[in-house]
Amino acid sequence: MLTIAGLSHSFRTGQEETHVLHELNFRVEQGEMVALLGSSGSGKSTLLNLMAGLMKPTHGSILIAGQAIEKMNENRLAEFRRTHIGFIFQSYELIPHLTVRENVELPLVFQSTPSQERKQRAMALLQQVGIGDKSEMFPSQLSGGQQQRVSIARSLITKPAIVFADEPTGNLDTKTEKEIIDLLIDLNQNSGITFVIVTHELEVAGRTQRILQLRDGYLVEQHKQEGEAG
Ligand SMILES: Nc1ncnc2c1ncn2[C@@H]1O[C@H](COP(=O)(O)OP(=O)(O)O)[C@@H](O)[C@H]1O
Ligand SMILES: [Mg+2]
């Protein structure tokens, strides 16, 4: 599903070059749920942005569903992102003047899906993430946990190959954090969604099937959890 090979990244600011990621190699299989764990500054967001095609790597390759995304031109990449990649943000990134249902439908608007089908698919997902009764409300009328459920439904509406989540519980209290991770585990185990979840919290990472740990831009640990996830 995802293959990272010889991936390195540097940022250049003026004369100075900062090497942020060093020769990373790993795979994520279809149906896996993997945590990308690391402290602040270890390179998590940089890696996630590269994997989501939001920027190009200095070296190496990123294969998603068999396609090398670093080789795509901007139009092709934008199209690929819209159809193959789901994204869940720490701060939800919902559009305030659209209803919950309209927010979830939005990625399909760009694919010219007929409105009746958009509505049906959005409603089905909202039911699945447990907020079917909130569809006609606006994001500001929802709690943080509910807003993150909207954002999860939106990430799934295009039936992406893989979903990346950047600190998805970073703005939530401990109880809500557990509920959101429970939901992601349920979507992984019962709907086969492939997730890569970035976190700096061991409690979150410990609930996934596998942890990839980043330390100063190096992948230092890659251990399979014993027993069941969750
Ligand atoms: N656009 C940028 N320009 C220069 N340096 C950057 C840029 N983005 C991130 N960095 C540097 O890369 C390192 C890793 O950052 P980041 O990927 O955001 O880490 P994390 O998400 O794990 O906190 C940090 O030292 C950061 O300062
Ligand atoms: Mg970050």
Side-chain angles (χ1 to χ4, degrees):
M1 184 52 64
L2 170 71
T3 305
I4 299 298
L7 188 71
S8 299
H9 195 74
S10 310
F11 290 106
R12 179 174 284 285
T13 35
Q15 298 286 53
E16 213 171 315
E17 199 168 0
T18 319
H19 297 277
V20 176
L21 298 175
H22 310 270
E23 286 274 334
L24 305 186
N25 297 286
F26 62 89
R27 290 166 62 95
V28 175
E29 305 298 337
Q30 179 159 10
E32 258 199 307
M33 182 168 185
V34 172
L36 190 61
L37 178 68
S39 54
S40 177
S42 59
K44 302 183 300 295
S45 293
T46 303
L47 177 55
L48 204 70
N49 290 336
L50 290 169
M51 295 190 297
L54 299 173
M55 53 190 203
K56 301 264 186 194
T58 316
H59 293 288
S61 77
I62 302 156
L63 283 174
I64 296 180
Q67 307 207 49
I69 66 168
E70 80 283 356
K71 296 204 179 97
M72 295 178 185
N73 68 31
E74 225 164 277
N75 286 342
R76 173 90 184 82
L77 187 57
E79 165 69 13
F80 186 85
R81 266 206 311 269
R82 278 201 295 273
T83 50
H84 289 74
I85 299 176
F87 219 99
I88 300 166
F89 304 91
Q90 176 172 353
S91 49
Y92 329 126
E93 310 290 337
L94 302 174
I95 298 188
H97 64 267
L98 297 181
T99 65
V100 163
R101 177 174 53 76
E102 288 166 344
N103 267 282
V104 176
E105 283 182 32
L106 197 57
L108 293 182
V109 173
F110 299 111
Q111 295 183 19
S112 326
T113 306
S115 67
Q116 203 54 35
E117 186 191 335
R118 287 202 311 256
K119 188 171 174 179
Q120 278 169 8
R121 281 167 63 177
M123 287 308 298
L125 275 170
L126 285 167
Q127 297 282 357
Q128 198 179 358
V129 301
I131 47 168
D133 58 334
K134 303 280 189 279
S135 65
E136 303 315 310
M137 295 176 89
F138 289 92
S140 62
Q141 299 173 298
L142 270 51
S143 69
Q146 289 166 340
Q147 290 186 55
Q148 194 57 300
R149 286 171 191 268
V150 179
S151 141
I152 291 167
R154 180 186 55 190
S155 78
L156 299 176
I157 193 95
T158 58
K159 303 179 180 154
I162 190 163
V163 176
F164 297 111
D166 195 357
E167 304 266 9
T169 61
N171 288 3
L172 303 173
D173 61 76
T174 311
K175 177 170 168 284
T176 312
E177 168 173 284
K178 185 180 175 300
E179 291 167 359
I180 292 295
I181 299 299
D182 286 344
L183 171 62
L184 296 177
I185 289 172
D186 176 63
L187 289 165
N188 170 253
Q189 293 185 344
N190 298 316
S191 302
I193 313 284
T194 308
F195 284 108
V196 176
I197 299 174
V198 164
T199 183
H200 64 271
E201 291 181 75
L202 194 53
E203 297 93 88
V204 171
R207 298 200 58 204
T208 67
Q209 295 161 357
R210 191 153 62 102
I211 300 174
L212 301 177
Q213 195 172 358
L214 265 184
R215 190 170 293 160
D216 298 330
Y218 291 91
L219 210 52
V220 292
E221 201 181 319
Q222 201 168 347
H223 71 265
K224 260 267 189 272
Q225 304 269 109
E226 292 294 318
E228 271 210 341

